[in-house]
Structures are given as C-alpha cells and as structure tokens.
Amino acid sequence: MARLFIAVQPAEQVVEALRELPRKDGPGVRWVRPENWHITLRFLGEADADEVAERLDRAALPVAHARYGPGVDLLFDRVVVVPVHGVDELARAVVDATRDLGSEPPPKRFAGHLTVARLKPRGWVPAVIGAPLTGAHAVDEIALVASTLRPTGAEHETIATWPTG
C-alpha cells in the first residue's frame, strides 16, 4: 500500500507563470516546490497501486481543457491556490472508476485547484493572494502519483499515466 493520488500535471507555460509569482517567505507559510505542482483529481490515501491502475485501465477518461485563474486565491483559509476550471468531468470519471478504493473517501464536491502554498493556523497571509494568473492547456493525460512524506516535504513519484479522450 502507498499514499496515492490521481492528478493532472500543469503545462510548461503555466509552470513558468507560477514561477514568476512573488514568493516571499513569512511565518507559517510553506511553499509547494514546483516539481510538486499538480491538479488533484482524486486523493486516495493508502491504496494498492496495481488495483488503482487496473480500474484506470478500464475507465473512459473524457477530453478536458484546464483553465487557470483568474488569479491566486485562498482555499479553506489555509491553502494558497490557483483555481482550475474545466477538469470537473475528468475528475468525476476518475472518482467513478476508483470510488471504493483507498483509505480516503472521494470528496463530496470537486474544487479544481493547483496548490501554491499552505499556511499554518494564524500564519502570515502572503501578498501573492490576488495576483493575476491565467493560462490554459489541453489535458492529454492523467497520472497516478505516489506521495511520500518526508521532514523536508512530500516527494512525488509518477507510477503510471493514462491518455484522456
């Protein structure tokens, strides 16, 4: 069993725009490393990668077009994100294929986003909130990703990918 999630990787032009955002450090702010930027379609928690892969092999994954923005926002008062639109149907197909897998139940409502930073309670809110950021790209594939928690932060490893459409 591994800690798994299913995700869309951002296109290079979106990654470049994200890299240009002001990233001042402040108390209680933990920035997500660029190599870990992704749009989570489903967080599974502890799950068997082979079983998830078998389900995704049989899934009908619709074509999607990810649209980012219009700017950096705050989700749940503690997560600095860029909203992502256009991947809802793809997330629904992933959830339908994996509904009974993993230690974490599927969310009741999907909120597409790419996490930029996490804030500790009563942490400093970075000035990047409200910064404009837009971009779009076709979603060509989804990825099954293993996430290993380390003292230095999460390490992500792509296990397999599946084309959309």
Side-chain angles (χ1 to χ4, degrees), residues 50-138:
D50 292 335
E51 195 171 12
V52 175
E54 285 178 25
R55 297 285 184 87
L56 292 174
D57 284 342
R58 297 190 307 258
L61 302 172
V63 172
H65 193 80
R67 296 180 319 279
Y68 298 77
V72 181
D73 205 349
L74 199 55
L75 183 66
F76 308 124
D77 295 330
R78 295 195 36 213
V79 186
V80 179
V81 302
V82 176
V84 181
H85 311 279
V87 295
D88 299 57
E89 291 298 318
L90 182 56
R92 190 172 300 116
V94 165
V95 167
D96 288 346
T98 62
R99 184 168 305 281
D100 60 336
L101 300 180
S103 61
E104 296 291 322
K108 291 183 174 145
R109 187 176 152 273
F110 177 75
H113 65 278
L114 185 148
T115 300
V116 177
R118 289 185 170 74
L119 309 177
K120 290 184 178 178
R122 293 181 292 284
W124 174 74
V125 177
V128 72
I129 302 295
L133 189 139
T134 59
H137 62 87

Side-chain angles (χ1 to χ4, degrees), residues 3 5 30-33 35-38 118 145-157:
R3 184 174 186 262
F5 62 89
R30 188 180 68 215
W31 296 98
V32 175
R33 294 188 313 255
E35 62 270 19
N36 285 355
W37 287 335
H38 64 273
R118 289 185 170 74
V145 181
S147 178
T148 305
L149 300 178
R150 307 251 188 244
T152 56
E155 291 182 9
H156 294 169
E157 176 188 357

